[in-house]
Amino acid sequence: MSVETDVLRLLADPLRARIVSLLAVEALCNCHLVEETGARQTNISNHLRVLREAGLVDTEPCGRFTYYRLRPEALEHLASELGALAAAAREARSLRRKRPCT
């Protein structure tokens, strides 16, 4: 079992986590995200580029603006991996499994 550590590392950044939370509710453009977060436009753009490269967001051109939309399947995959870890931990606890010291 292996959790995608790169995605977890990306989501650990507070501003990226906020952007992901906002995009979970609706598609937003850079200007909306600047307004909602108070971060600088260049900072938001850099975070969106990283999230897009990681496959967490899609882009949608709309005139001279670009809207960003969260890709739920990317988060569902991560949630599935975390769920599998939780299930393994639950089983190990119920069986009281532990490695003996030598």
Side-chain angles (χ1 to χ4, degrees), residues 4-95:
E4 294 180 32
T5 56
D6 292 340
V7 174
L8 289 175
R9 194 174 303 119
L10 289 178
L11 295 176
D13 180 276
L15 181 54
R16 277 194 210 116
R18 176 78 174 126
I19 290 169
V20 167
S21 294
L22 291 166
L23 293 179
V25 178
E26 61 185 327
L28 298 168
C29 74
N30 199 316
C31 60
H32 296 128
L33 292 166
V34 167
E35 184 180 306
E36 288 288 333
T37 64
R40 296 177 63 129
Q41 185 271 331
T42 54
N43 198 5
I44 294 291
S45 292
N46 286 333
H47 284 300
L48 288 168
R49 178 184 47 79
V50 169
L51 290 169
R52 189 179 69 248
E53 289 172 355
L56 293 173
V57 298
D58 284 328
T59 59
E60 178 186 332
C62 186
R64 54 185 209 125
F65 298 102
T66 300
Y67 277 80
Y68 295 85
R69 185 178 308 280
L70 191 61
R71 294 185 66 231
E73 58 276 4
L75 293 177
E76 289 166 348
H77 179 71
L78 180 60
S80 173
E81 288 184 349
L82 290 172
L85 282 175
R90 193 174 297 108
E91 179 184 7
R93 176 176 266 183
S94 71
L95 297 175

